[in-house]
Each structure stands twice: as structure tokens, then as C-alpha cells.
Amino acid sequence: MPPPPPVNPQRLSPAESRERTLHFFHGLGVDVPLPASAERADAYAALVRVIVSSATVSSSRVSCTLTISPGVANQYNTLHGGAVAAVAEAVGMACARAAAGDKEMFLGELSTAYLAAARVNVSSSLCLF
């Protein structure tokens, strides 16, 4: 005997779907303007510099300390996944430049696995080999 057909959830009209989607985004705060500092050309690098400190660079290893501030936190008061990727990129580039010299480089691909959340106002060590 075949399984029963799936139950269809409530069908929304395009207008209702739009309203629910807008309500969701407004709840996240997307309608709040960005501060002027976010419009600067070096805003991305400044964001990473705010949370990375005590960097040690050698030809085979880069280590640093991350301090999770509210500026890089998500709605759960943990480090935002995009900030994790930004720090990984910056530290990875520092590691590559330490090994290859100060050459023009770019990161072609980055994959990130999340094991546990880092809470706001906590410091953590990061080390790349």
C-alpha cells in the first residue's frame, strides 16, 4: 500500500508571503541604517582587527587571540558565522604570507565547520599551521 499523500501547509497568496517575509526581516533589524563607519573602505579589515589580538607569526605557524565583542555577535549572543569566516581568512592569509613571502594572493575557497558557539565577552585562542 503506498504512503498517504503529504498534507499541504496553508497556501499563502504572494501578497501574504511578501508581508510575512518583510515582517521577518524587520524583526532582524535590516531596516536600521548602518553606522557611517561601516561605509569606510577599510570597514571589513577594521572589524577583524577589533576581535583579533596578540598575533604571533612564524614561518610555520600563526596564532592569535579572539575576543568576542557584541559588534560581531549574532542574535544568540555568540560569534556570528561570517565573523568566523572573516577571521579564518585573515589568519589564513597571514599564515600563507609567512610561508610564501609578501606576495599578491587571494583565497580561492574557504570551508568552515562549527563545533561550538563562542559567547560574547569570551577570549579564545586560534592557531593555524
Side-chain angles (χ1 to χ4, degrees):
M1 177 173 214
V7 177
N8 286 337
Q10 176 188 4
R11 286 284 194 185
L12 299 176
S13 71
E16 291 170 322
S17 180
R18 179 184 177 277
E19 285 303 313
R20 286 190 182 192
T21 302
L22 285 173
H23 179 73
F24 171 77
F25 283 127
H26 288 296
L28 294 176
V30 296
D31 55 340
V32 177
L34 292 174
S37 61
E39 301 297 331
R40 294 179 23 191
D42 66 341
Y44 179 77
L47 179 68
V48 173
R49 281 193 307 268
V50 165
I51 61 175
V52 175
S53 62
S54 306
T56 304
V57 179
S58 72
S59 61
S60 61
R61 171 182 170 150
V62 175
S63 61
C64 62
T65 301
L66 300 177
T67 302
I68 315 309
S69 66
V72 292
N74 58 24
Q75 64 200 25
Y76 305 107
N77 249 358
T78 61
L79 182 60
H80 189 281
V84 171
V87 168
E89 178 188 19
V91 175
M93 290 300 285
C95 194
R97 285 201 169 121
D102 196 19
K103 298 178 182 176
E104 278 295 314
M105 298 180 200
F106 73 95
L107 180 63
E109 184 174 333
L110 175 67
S111 177
T112 309
Y114 301 94
L115 302 176
R119 300 258 173 231
V120 171
N121 296 325
V122 172
S123 292
S124 180
S125 294
L126 175 67
C127 187
L128 293 176
F129 297 93

